[in-house]
Amino acid sequence: MTSTQARPTSIRIFLADGTPEGLRIVEKSNWTGRAVVANRSQLERALARSEMTQPGVYVLTGQTEDGAAKLYVGEADALGERIKQHVSGKEFWTRMVAFTSTNEGLNKANVRYLEAGLLALAKTANQWALDNGTFPAPPPLSEADRADAEWFLAEMLVIFPLLGIDAFEAASSQAAASSSEQVEPPLTLYLNERGAEGAGREVADGFVVIKGSLARAEETLSIHDYMREQRQLLQERGVLAPLDGKLVFTQDFRFSSPSTAAGVLVGGSANGRLAWKDASGKTLKAIQDERLASI
């Protein structure tokens, strides 16, 4: 699947209920796609819209029992009918994002291609837990239809982060994109505490721990349940793997904050702004304070 180079664009979010938390319709300039965004409690209103009678691809978002972000990706000939089946069939989700076309440009093969593309990206990124049990291969399309589907997919990937969904972008890709916007090279930060040895970088939406970082296998007695569950989940998903008495990061992984990243590494509570330091020993807190002072 391809990606597009970042460029200025205009995205319109229409608040159908007049509130930021209500039913939302998302459109992008020079694109035939449209997204309907609704919480589970607003589903009746969303299903009444004409967009939900059309073919499309959708995601359901929520949390695992451990509190980690979770996602389901699907496609349908009629979005509304399919999503209604998930009301009783799936309990985890709290929000729906459904994409369709304003010019009836999506058919069954197109939406199957989009579903396969999103699932492949989410599986490769391994940032969110996936509720999908199968990962279908994309259907065969003509060269022209495939190009149209890739374009539609690329535009969807621009919209997802605006809705707080970063499941389809690998942490390494986000770190690279963030650094490419800077004049200076990306700053690598290091953690060396309590037997943990890690490297990471700030990104726009959190903090990325770099592949090969070593976390403590043991946990402190005072570790919070959330942190223990985070470490357990990362081991279950293969992000953390045993290595010589420690746990190694098998991939770059994006955390919501430097403190969460540090806590997973040391197996307990940690202040990420103090634990992460540059090569000279300057803390992340000092680095951030200097940036603010220079403005």
Side-chain angles (χ1 to χ4, degrees):
M1 302 295 170
T2 60
S3 61
T4 58
Q5 184 177 1
R7 61 187 185 277
T9 190
S10 174
I11 294 176
R12 178 188 179 192
I13 301 179
F14 173 65
L15 308 180
D17 292 338
T19 64
E21 300 81 15
L23 179 65
R24 285 163 286 170
I25 309 301
V26 185
E27 296 178 303
K28 187 174 180 294
S29 60
N30 301 316
W31 183 46
T32 59
R34 177 179 292 163
V36 179
V37 185
N39 295 329
R40 192 164 183 151
S41 61
Q42 302 153 349
L43 193 58
E44 183 177 358
R45 281 209 50 172
L47 295 181
R49 294 189 61 90
S50 61
E51 294 92 344
M52 304 304 289
T53 65
Q54 300 176 19
V57 63
Y58 62 92
V59 299
L60 307 176
T61 67
Q63 292 185 328
T64 66
E65 293 181 355
D66 298 330
K70 187 174 183 179
L71 184 83
Y72 178 85
V73 180
E75 56 82 18
D77 287 330
L79 284 164
E81 292 302 314
R82 180 62 175 144
I83 291 171
K84 276 194 289 187
Q85 297 174 11
H86 294 315
V87 173
S88 58
K90 295 186 181 299
E91 296 295 333
F92 81 92
W93 67 277
T94 57
R95 184 175 56 154
M96 168 211 78
V97 181
F99 284 89
T100 188
S101 174
T102 58
N103 66 354
E104 301 183 356
L106 294 179
N107 56 35
K108 182 65 173 178
N110 296 145
V111 296
R112 286 178 55 205
Y113 189 94
L114 294 174
E115 177 196 40
L118 289 174
L119 282 171
L121 289 170
K123 185 177 181 181
T124 299
N126 198 21
Q127 294 291 313
W128 288 37
L130 274 171
D131 191 64
N132 294 75
T134 59
F135 297 84
L141 296 178
S142 69
E143 184 176 3
D145 286 343
R146 187 168 60 252
D148 286 344
E150 286 284 350
W151 172 62
F152 199 96
L153 175 61
E155 300 291 15
M156 289 168 57
L157 294 176
V158 174
I159 291 173
F160 277 122
L162 296 177
L163 304 175
I165 301 173
D166 58 2
F168 305 109
E169 186 174 12
S172 55
S173 299
Q174 189 178 69
S178 178
S179 63
S180 68
E181 298 170 1
Q182 302 172 2
V183 176
E184 299 178 359
L187 179 63
T188 300
L189 299 170
Y190 304 92
L191 180 148
N192 195 339
E193 289 188 10
R194 304 180 227 174
E197 302 173 52
R201 297 191 182 100
E202 284 187 280
V203 294
D205 296 323
F207 193 91
V208 170
V209 173
I210 297 173
K211 177 181 178 179
S213 295
L214 295 173
R216 274 198 352 151
E218 302 83 11
E219 296 173 346
T220 64
L221 294 176
S222 60
I223 187 173
H224 294 156
D225 289 343
Y226 169 74
M227 194 64 66
R228 180 183 294 112
E229 291 164 354
Q230 275 276 84
R231 284 166 55 92
Q232 181 62 35
L233 184 64
L234 291 176
Q235 291 178 70
E236 292 174 358
R237 290 166 55 190
V239 177
L240 286 174
L243 179 68
D244 299 332
K246 296 189 178 183
L247 297 171
V248 63
F249 276 78
T250 62
Q251 64 174 77
D252 291 357
F253 192 83
R254 181 175 56 255
F255 292 94
S256 59
S257 71
S259 291
T260 303
V264 167
L265 279 162
V266 303
S269 299
N271 185 332
R273 297 184 69 208
L274 299 178
W276 292 103
K277 303 174 183 178
D278 67 10
S280 68
K282 186 183 299 182
T283 66
L284 175 58
K285 179 181 185 302
I287 294 168
Q288 292 174 336
D289 288 346
E290 287 180 1
R291 288 176 185 161
L292 289 175
S294 65
I295 297 176

